[in-house]
Amino acid sequence: MDTTLEIVLPTGLIALLGPQDQAAQAVKEYAIPGLFQEGRLSAGKSADLLGLTPRGFVALLARKGIDYFRFGPREWTEEAAAVPPRKPSLA
């Protein structure tokens, strides 16, 4: 079920967002990735709410400069340790 939310914004901001239908989509494309970044929405749910594929959601995050993977130094160290070393190729 969808709910309509009325937001009062300065005219200058509305002009930046475009016509009303585009503005509504633009607001969703900023709010939903923000909620994902805060850990309040999963990537799958975020993609679904935006009508995107998972790959499309990752692309949107990249355009907005938001990291998909939220690893701290410890997590990166653990991931790096789990990857076997590569053998040099003889090519």
Side-chain angles (χ1 to χ4, degrees), residues 70-81:
R70 295 171 288 196
F71 288 172
R74 183 180 55 86
E75 290 90 356
W76 279 115
T77 302
E78 290 172 2
E79 287 295 312

Side-chain angles (χ1 to χ4, degrees), residues 27-40:
V27 169
K28 285 174 44 177
E29 287 181 3
Y30 280 96
I32 292 171
L35 292 169
F36 167 78
Q37 190 174 30
E38 292 175 359
R40 296 170 63 186

Side-chain angles (χ1 to χ4, degrees), residues 7-90:
I7 301 174
V8 178
L9 299 171
T11 303
L13 181 57
I14 297 295
L16 292 173
L17 294 172
Q20 190 170 356
D21 58 332
Q22 289 177 358
Q25 184 63 26
V27 169
K28 285 174 44 177
E29 287 181 3
Y30 280 96
I32 292 171
L35 292 169
F36 167 78
Q37 190 174 30
E38 292 175 359
R40 296 170 63 186
L41 281 177
S42 69
K45 183 64 174 177
S46 298
D48 185 51
L49 289 170
L50 289 168
L52 299 172
T53 63
R55 179 177 279 176
F57 181 64
V58 172
L60 175 66
L61 292 177
R63 286 193 305 273
K64 298 202 176 300
I66 298 172
D67 293 329
Y68 179 75
F69 294 105
R70 295 171 288 196
F71 288 172
R74 183 180 55 86
E75 290 90 356
W76 279 115
T77 302
E78 290 172 2
E79 287 295 312
V83 176
R86 287 185 60 183
K87 294 180 182 179
S89 67
L90 299 174

